[in-house]
Amino acid sequence: MNDSLSLDAKLLAESGAGDNAAPLSVSEISGSLKRVVEDCFGYVRIKGEISGYKRAASGHVYLALKDDKAVLDGVMWKGNAGRLPFQPEDGIEVVVSGKLTTYPGRSKYQVVIDKMELAGEGALMQLFEKLKAKLQAEGLFDQDRKRAIPFLPKTIGVVTSPTGSVIRDILHRLADRCPSHVVVWPVLVQGDGAAKQIAGAIDGFSNMQTDGAMTKPDLVIVARGGGSIEDLWSFNEEEVVRAVADCSIPVISAVGHETDTTLCDFAADLRAPTPTAAAEMAVPVRAEWLASLSESKARMARSIQRGFATAQERLEAQRRLMPALTDLLRPHQQRVDELTDGMKYAMGQNVAEARSRFSASEGALRPAMLRQRLDTAKSRLGRLDLPVALIKRPLDDARQRLDSLWRLAQQVSPDGPLKRGYARISGLDDQFIGSKVAAKNAGAVNLHFHDGTVAAQITDTPAEAAKAGHRKARPVTKPKPSKAKKPSDNRQPDLF
């Protein structure tokens, strides 16, 4: 076995004779390829079908363009992606403009897209049908979501261009039919940023406060004149269609001519073939309306008169069928006469019976009869004999109870202890004084003894009393309170 290496398979790289090219790094060759591709394809327009469309959180768009034989990656930076006039989707054929470049990190080439356009009306209709199917599946076009248009809106909001003929046609037709208050929200109706302005105007009317500075419309008209599908495409944008479907106010879509159809027409509560027709649908003809009111008023008056006439005829027919008033009263009058006669007879009978009963009792009320009854009562009273003991015993018991009560009264009397050397103190108003504080507050007092009453002056200390000793209180004599006399044992009260 030969372990040596041959000349063609060397372990270390060496430069050969006449080889003056140094080896390139991967970055160098990638950079060279990038310069060559960008120099040769600095501006290209490519037609292909979108595949793998994705918008990153940064706002950049990544996608692939393909046909039946090849696939080319593409990227669209945030600034250009924000200016797209439509929402790209997979399967839509487009024409992009930009430049080719390479991405060394993955050894691939890609197109940096500056502008993207739909590849003809066919691609535009394809995008239209795809978006229509998507929104229809969500129920945005269902008939049960449609609302009735108000009969006579006080305020009408119009979303359209302020400079076109559309707003003039709408205002002219409203003035001819029924003058109304119109609030115009000016917007772009085609081109870059048109869809955003239209959706913002519809949302603005929808979110307007009812008590704000501006009157909230009762009806919104979204209007634009006719044009190609490309001109009307702003009204096919998803944000506009959703704004129409979510609007809190009924919406009339009047975009294009009668043959033009947009997704906004499907989402609106009512589709008008033209902006002028939308004005006609919004309000009635004032003259016709007034004529209709006059006719309704006349019909109502005739109906009321006819009802009165019919009721009067029915009342007259019923009156003829009813009996006369005198015929209705005669039986009752006869009954009253019978009751009157019976009442007179009954009263005579009652008086006669009462007179008979009085006559029967009159004989028992003679003076002789009363005198006899009185003599009988006196005789019975004379036969009564009351023993003295029955009368004396209750008197003795009553006298004993009286003595007991008198002794108790002597014991609890405030003047009882006065005979034992005590004195009772009272104010000049004869109110009892029982404490030192009450005596000091009174100042002048009366001292009651068993034999009379004297006046005194209260001082704080005995020394002060000694100083005031030369002033003698003048005795005040009051009549002694009368004492209840004890009845003598030998005196018997008169019971009769």
Side-chain angles (χ1 to χ4, degrees):
M1 181 177 180
N2 190 3
D3 294 332
S4 63
L5 296 174
S6 64
L7 296 176
D8 295 334
K10 295 181 179 181
L11 183 60
L12 299 175
E14 297 179 354
S15 300
D19 187 3
N20 58 359
L24 300 175
S25 66
V26 175
S27 298
E28 290 174 340
I29 191 65
S30 297
S32 297
L33 286 172
K34 180 178 180 68
R35 287 190 295 272
V36 170
V37 171
E38 290 181 352
D39 291 342
C40 295
F41 302 96
Y43 179 79
V44 293
R45 296 185 75 234
I46 306 171
K47 180 180 180 181
E49 180 183 326
I50 296 177
S51 176
Y53 176 85
K54 179 179 67 174
R55 183 183 287 270
S58 61
H60 306 320
V61 171
Y62 299 93
L63 52 83
L65 296 174
K66 68 178 183 179
D67 57 15
D68 57 345
K69 295 180 181 179
V71 177
L72 173 64
D73 288 339
V75 60
M76 194 173 195
W77 305 126
K78 177 180 178 181
N80 294 326
R83 291 191 294 269
L84 281 173
F86 66 96
Q87 178 63 36
E89 291 186 7
D90 290 351
I92 302 301
E93 192 173 21
V94 295
V95 175
V96 299
S97 301
K99 64 178 181 179
L100 286 182
T101 186
T102 63
Y103 181 49
R106 293 188 181 177
S107 299
K108 59 187 294 188
Y109 67 95
Q110 61 187 9
V111 58
V112 178
I113 303 171
D114 296 330
K115 185 172 65 172
M116 182 183 297
E117 301 169 321
L118 292 170
E121 291 190 2
L124 201 60
M125 290 304 299
Q126 184 181 2
L127 182 61
F128 177 90
E129 293 298 334
K130 290 188 66 174
L131 184 57
K132 178 183 177 182
K134 172 186 174 182
L135 298 178
Q136 189 169 12
E138 295 182 15
L140 266 66
F141 304 154
D142 293 347
Q143 287 298 321
D144 55 0
R145 299 182 73 256
K146 309 295 183 182
R147 292 162 295 185
I149 303 301
F151 173 71
L152 189 62
K154 294 181 180 180
T155 303
I156 300 174
V158 180
V159 179
T160 190
S161 172
T163 59
S165 60
V166 171
I167 186 60
R168 292 194 298 271
D169 293 342
I170 291 176
L171 294 177
H172 179 70
R173 185 50 58 94
L174 289 176
D176 289 344
R177 292 175 64 85
C178 185
S180 304
H181 180 60
V182 178
V183 179
V184 180
W185 197 303
V187 294
L188 294 174
V189 291
Q190 71 181 69
D192 294 343
K196 186 175 182 180
Q197 289 189 17
I198 296 169
I202 297 171
D203 290 338
F205 277 136
S206 178
N207 299 325
M208 189 177 294
Q209 299 296 324
T210 55
D211 55 351
M214 184 178 295
T215 304
K216 184 175 182 178
D218 303 313
L219 177 67
V220 173
I221 299 177
V222 180
R224 188 206 186 281
S228 63
I229 186 173
E230 185 178 0
D231 296 334
L232 304 178
W233 189 255
S234 298
F235 298 90
N236 291 322
E237 292 289 350
E238 184 174 354
E239 59 180 331
V240 175
V241 179
R242 291 190 182 276
V244 171
D246 296 337
C247 185
S248 62
I249 307 170
V251 178
I252 296 179
S253 176
V255 180
H257 297 303
E258 188 171 359
T259 56
D260 298 324
T261 303
T262 63
L263 296 180
C264 184
D265 297 335
F266 294 104
D269 297 290
L270 184 63
R271 177 184 180 270
T274 62
T276 303
E280 295 176 354
M281 295 176 177
V283 296
V285 179
R286 183 174 182 273
E288 295 178 357
W289 182 45
L290 293 176
S292 176
L293 287 178
S294 299
E295 178 61 26
S296 299
K297 180 180 178 181
R299 287 202 304 270
M300 183 176 63
R302 290 195 297 269
S303 177
I304 294 174
Q305 291 176 357
R306 187 164 52 250
F308 279 147
T310 302
Q312 190 172 6
E313 292 176 359
R314 291 178 179 175
L315 181 60
E316 183 63 23
Q318 292 295 331
R319 189 187 65 81
R320 288 194 298 266
L321 294 176
M322 292 178 64
L325 182 60
T326 55
D327 295 339
L328 293 175
L329 293 178
R330 281 170 184 169
H332 300 285
Q333 290 176 346
Q334 184 177 359
R335 177 61 177 166
V336 170
D337 294 339
E338 292 177 354
L339 292 176
T340 302
D341 295 340
M343 183 175 62
K344 291 180 180 179
Y345 176 76
M347 290 179 65
Q349 288 292 108
N350 290 337
V351 170
E353 293 178 359
R355 183 177 290 109
S356 175
R357 289 195 299 272
F358 179 75
S359 299
S361 301
E362 184 180 7
L365 298 177
R366 293 192 301 272
M369 295 288 294
L370 294 177
R371 194 174 294 110
Q372 182 181 358
R373 292 180 63 183
L374 180 60
D375 294 340
T376 302
K378 287 182 178 181
S379 176
R380 292 176 59 190
L381 180 61
R383 289 195 297 272
L384 290 177
D385 186 11
L386 295 177
V388 177
L390 293 178
I391 299 175
K392 186 178 180 181
R393 187 180 298 112
L395 290 177
D396 294 340
D397 294 340
R399 185 178 293 108
Q400 292 178 2
R401 288 195 299 272
L402 181 59
D403 291 342
S404 299
L405 291 175
W406 177 254
R407 288 192 296 274
L408 179 62
Q410 290 293 328
Q411 293 175 3
V412 299
S413 173
D415 294 333
L418 299 184
K419 295 180 179 181
R420 298 194 298 272
Y422 293 98
R424 179 168 56 86
I425 303 175
S426 67
L428 298 180
D429 55 356
D430 288 339
Q431 294 294 324
F432 174 73
I433 294 176
S435 66
K436 174 184 177 182
V437 175
K440 290 177 66 177
N441 292 337
V445 299
N446 290 328
L447 301 179
H448 301 273
F449 297 93
H450 73 280
D451 56 351
T453 302
V454 297
Q457 186 70 27
I458 302 298
T459 60
D460 291 336
T461 62
E464 292 179 358
K467 291 179 182 180
H470 62 280
R471 291 178 294 178
K472 296 182 178 180
R474 192 166 51 183
V476 178
T477 304
K478 285 190 176 182
K480 295 182 179 181
S482 59
K483 297 181 180 180
K485 294 182 178 181
K486 180 179 179 182
S488 59
D489 294 339
N490 57 359
R491 185 168 178 257
Q492 182 175 349
D494 189 3
L495 296 179
F496 300 99

